Amino acid sequence: MSHIPVPILTIGLLLLSNVFMTFAWYGHLKFKTAPLVTVILVSWGIAFFEYVLQVPANRIGHGHFSAAQLKTIQEVLTLSVFAVFSVLYLKEPLGWNHALGFGFIALGAFFIFHKWS
């Protein structure tokens, strides 16, 4: 993996980890009749793979990115993955207000990553 640039590897791992975490947190919403204890245990199992990807991503990325930048990448990816998940998996459309709110978060990311002199 050392031949993959740190930003690409870090963001790729964080993206994959977010896919797992989104399913762990929200995938069970399509199975409301399943017992709560079952969905909790299944969610924990899915979340394990999120940690297997996220912890190395943060370790690899730290130094190239600050901790605040890593968290910002994580949040932007979380919202991006969730938006796709919400529309495609849950069949819940997102409105203009969601887009506007996500836009403000993206603006916040700009301020975090911009090099201020």
Side-chain angles (χ1 to χ4, degrees), residues 1-98:
M1 282 199 255
S2 62
H3 63 285
I4 301 172
V6 168
I8 300 295
L9 183 58
T10 300
I11 292 168
L13 289 170
L14 288 173
L15 176 64
L16 291 172
S17 77
N18 269 285
V19 170
F20 280 103
M21 202 62 196
T22 300
F23 273 96
W25 283 6
Y26 302 103
H28 62 88
L29 296 178
K30 287 186 98 172
F31 305 98
K32 293 193 184 235
T33 60
L36 186 57
V37 69
T38 300
V39 297
I40 290 171
L41 293 173
V42 169
S43 291
W44 277 352
I46 296 169
F48 169 78
F49 295 101
E50 185 265 346
Y51 278 85
V52 166
L53 296 164
Q54 186 176 22
V55 170
N58 285 330
R59 181 165 288 199
I60 291 165
H62 192 247
H64 183 87
F65 297 110
S66 69
Q69 289 173 325
L70 285 169
K71 183 60 181 172
T72 302
I73 294 167
Q74 175 71 23
E75 294 304 326
V76 169
L77 288 172
T78 296
L79 286 174
S80 301
V81 169
F82 179 78
V84 172
F85 178 87
S86 178
V87 171
L88 297 180
Y89 183 79
L90 295 177
K91 308 293 187 214
E92 294 182 4
L94 298 175
W96 67 267
N97 56 322
H98 300 107

Side-chain angles (χ1 to χ4, degrees), residues 89-113:
Y89 183 79
L90 295 177
K91 308 293 187 214
E92 294 182 4
L94 298 175
W96 67 267
N97 56 322
H98 300 107
L100 182 62
F102 293 169
F104 280 125
I105 292 168
L107 183 62
F110 165 78
F111 283 106
I112 289 171
F113 280 91

